[in-house]
Amino acid sequence: MNKILVTVLTSALVAGATAFGVDRVFAKTDEKAETVQSINGMYRTVNLTETDYPDLTYAAESAVDAVVYVKVTETVQNPYGQVDPLLRYFFGFGDGAPKERSGSGSGVIIRPDGYIVTNNHVVANASKIEVTLNGNQTYEAKVIGTDPVTDVAIIKIDADNLPVIPMGDSEKLRLGEWVLAIGSPLGFELRGTITAGIVSAKGRSMPPQNNEFKIESFIQTDAAVNPGNSGGALVNKKGELVGINTAIVSPTGSYSGYSFAVPVNIVKRIAADLIDFGQVKRAKLGVTMTTNTKKIADEMKHSAINGVYIVEVMAGSAADKAGIREGDVIYEIDGSSILTSQALQEKVNSFHPGDKAMIKFDRDGKKKEVVVEFQGDEEQVGTVAEDGSVVYYGATIKTASKATLKALGIRRGVEVVSVGKGKMKDAGASKGFVILYVNDHPVAKAEDVIALTKRSDRAVFIEGVDADGRPAYFGFGKAD
């Protein structure tokens, strides 16, 4: 009897061990946990486990309720004004009264007390805004603040305990990573639509329109986006907000494979400023730049190929005070690699005026680093820089040197040292222009220009000579 019992127990143990071993063999075969492969001579470890294939159900279900439908009503003035009754009858010009037209977009709830982020172009010029939640509740919304430079706006509804999407980190997005676009393509009936795609590119920009200054460093995806998706959410596999869908590139006006989103790292700071201050407090480095290339490197005879080539540094700017010079190549800001001018814009836009950052750059083949304290973007006419130049509507001006006066054959004047974004540039001022008269009064130093400008009620008229000595003049209004 004992022999039979021992035999049975031994057989059971052997069978169990065999089954476990077979199971582990097949499990290892099925998992293919890690495969090492050569890519352009480089070796990378690629995880091919089944659990790494994208399951987007959690992200979709957790994020969809925080994406809303935004209906916008705009009052449009009739360009013809009051129309003659005969013209109305024969030509259908209408009665000349203002008309209302509707548009729509999407928005993302970012705070449970009703704050919603959307695109500026969705709510611009709106006379009425209505927000419909995924549960069909409709609220009237008000605009808290807008930022046309990044195409971000904040609106608010009177509600509490709303679902929100946690904000992620758009800098950590990887090419080929799966993302979801959530919004209301083509209107109310398709609200809460979810589409999937991958990150196709980062740091994209689009051709400027109407010469407007824009900060663009878009996330490009192939998730289907159409008119009405503007202001909707771009989320990662974790259900985190990584971007706000804002534009498509298409020859037809409908989705053709290319959609673009404002990175959430830009949205975070813009939204915080708009909620706290009603306007954006934008940091400014004070440089003119271009993405570095081998062609530029060869022409300028510097060794760095990656990074951003500095074309000009504004006198008195944050970059100037930190010691950055024309011809430097910036390649890193606060640990983030800077490969394009769009990436530099995005990174600088993540700071506030007064914040400090470590900037690494290449100068004549030597690696250097400096700490920069960012300045504000606000125009502070009359501010005196360390070199004695004075801020003047986006430009900097300084009493013309004796060498400049002699070269141009003039006795006195105020030289334009640099020209940045602002009214001077818009009016046609250029570097090297020498101001001789402001509102018909002669000027000899920067303080004269400032004093005469302050005395003017509405407009400023400037006469002088350009860098080649040719007479020129321009003007601009003081009111915004």
Side-chain angles (χ1 to χ4, degrees):
M1 186 68 179
N2 290 337
K3 289 182 179 180
I4 294 173
L5 182 60
V6 170
T7 303
V8 170
L9 290 173
T10 303
S11 299
L13 289 171
V14 170
T18 303
F20 178 78
V22 170
D23 178 70
R24 294 314 301 159
V25 168
F26 281 105
K28 288 180 180 179
T29 303
D30 290 340
E31 282 181 6
K32 297 179 182 177
E34 292 185 345
T35 298
V36 179
Q37 60 184 33
S38 175
I39 301 177
N40 297 328
M42 301 292 290
Y43 283 88
R44 297 186 182 182
T45 301
V46 181
N47 194 329
L48 297 179
T49 58
E50 185 178 352
T51 55
D52 249 29
Y53 292 116
D55 179 0
L56 304 175
T57 55
Y58 171 79
E61 291 169 355
S62 64
V64 68
D65 287 338
V67 181
V68 302
Y69 171 76
V70 180
K71 179 183 176 182
V72 175
T73 302
E74 180 181 351
T75 302
V76 182
Q77 297 295 329
N78 191 310
Y80 301 104
Q82 295 299 318
V83 180
D84 185 277
L86 289 176
L87 291 177
R88 291 204 307 268
Y89 181 80
F90 287 108
F91 300 103
F93 278 157
D95 58 6
K99 303 294 182 183
E100 287 189 345
R101 64 183 181 191
S102 298
S104 67
S106 304
V108 181
I109 304 172
I110 58 172
R111 279 182 28 175
D113 55 349
Y115 285 94
I116 297 168
V117 63
T118 185
N119 284 143
N120 172 69
H121 76 259
V122 170
V123 298
N125 304 316
S127 55
K128 183 180 180 181
I129 303 172
E130 290 182 336
V131 167
T132 301
L133 306 186
N134 200 40
N136 293 327
Q137 305 97 316
T138 297
Y139 300 85
E140 189 164 337
K142 62 180 180 179
V143 176
I144 300 300
T146 63
D147 182 42
V149 172
T150 55
D151 199 18
V152 172
I154 296 294
I155 59 177
K156 188 180 186 305
I157 60 176
D158 188 12
D160 291 309
N161 301 316
L162 297 175
V164 299
I165 302 180
M167 292 192 180
D169 185 350
S170 50
E171 281 193 13
K172 293 182 179 179
L173 278 177
R174 300 178 64 185
L175 299 182
E177 182 176 339
W178 282 92
V179 287
L180 296 177
I182 309 176
S184 305
L186 308 177
F188 183 81
E189 296 302 324
L190 296 181
R191 68 192 189 280
T193 293
I194 303 169
T195 58
I198 62 169
V199 176
S200 305
K202 296 167 64 177
R204 289 291 200 218
S205 62
M206 286 185 283
Q209 298 179 354
N210 303 322
N211 294 320
E212 293 181 340
F213 172 69
K214 297 283 187 182
I215 291 179
E216 294 183 344
S217 186
F218 292 120
I219 303 164
Q220 180 185 333
T221 78
D222 63 353
V225 168
N226 276 294
N229 273 105
S230 291
L234 187 73
V235 301
N236 60 17
K237 290 188 298 181
K238 298 178 182 178
E240 296 172 330
L241 185 69
V242 292
I244 296 296
N245 297 312
T246 190
I248 59 176
V249 171
S250 169
T252 64
S254 297
Y255 174 74
S256 61
Y258 312 100
S259 55
F260 299 86
V262 181
V264 75
N265 287 13
I266 289 180
V267 175
K268 286 178 188 177
R269 203 188 67 72
I270 299 301
D273 276 2
L274 292 178
I275 292 172
D276 292 341
F277 310 113
Q279 62 181 359
V280 178
K281 295 183 178 296
R282 181 163 284 114
K284 188 175 181 181
L285 183 57
V287 297
T288 303
M289 60 193 168
T290 185
T291 300
N292 197 30
T293 63
K294 188 176 186 307
K295 181 180 179 182
I296 293 175
D298 291 341
E299 289 177 353
M300 301 302 171
K301 298 180 180 179
H302 61 78
S303 59
I305 296 178
N306 293 325
V308 173
Y309 181 79
I310 304 303
V311 178
E312 182 183 2
V313 178
M314 290 184 62
S317 67
D320 183 34
K321 291 179 179 179
I324 295 173
R325 298 290 177 259
E326 177 184 327
D328 291 344
V329 178
I330 295 175
Y331 61 87
E332 185 178 301
I333 299 179
D334 252 17
S336 297
S337 295
I338 303 297
L339 300 179
T340 65
S341 54
Q342 292 81 17
L344 188 144
Q345 282 187 336
E346 179 182 354
K347 188 62 180 178
V348 170
N349 201 50
S350 69
F351 294 98
H352 282 97
D355 288 348
K356 295 180 180 180
M358 175 70 73
I359 293 185
K360 295 183 179 181
F361 59 94
D362 182 288
R363 178 182 295 169
D364 300 327
K366 296 180 180 180
K367 305 296 184 183
K368 294 181 176 290
E369 58 183 48
V370 294
V371 175
V372 171
E373 181 175 347
F374 294 106
Q375 297 179 356
D377 191 41
E378 296 87 356
E379 247 177 16
Q380 298 178 346
V381 175
T383 301
V384 181
E386 291 180 358
D387 65 349
S389 61
V390 178
V391 175
Y392 187 68
Y393 293 103
T396 54
I397 57 177
K398 192 175 184 179
T399 302
S401 65
K402 292 181 179 179
T404 298
L405 296 176
K406 183 178 180 180
L408 296 176
I410 54 179
R411 296 178 58 187
R412 41 116 190 112
V414 179
E415 184 177 0
V416 176
V417 179
S418 65
V419 179
K421 174 180 172 256
K423 293 182 179 180
M424 284 283 280
K425 182 177 182 179
D426 294 341
S430 59
K431 182 179 178 181
F433 185 93
V434 176
I435 302 171
L436 301 178
Y437 297 91
V438 174
N439 291 347
D440 293 329
H441 294 278
V443 293
K445 54 186 183 293
E447 289 78 5
D448 297 338
V449 176
I450 300 300
L452 289 168
T453 299
K454 288 181 177 179
R455 284 164 51 186
S456 175
D457 292 330
R458 293 184 297 175
V460 178
F461 184 71
I462 292 175
E463 300 174 74
V465 294
D466 63 20
D468 296 322
R470 294 172 297 195
Y473 54 87
F474 54 85
F476 55 86
K478 287 182 65 177
D480 292 332

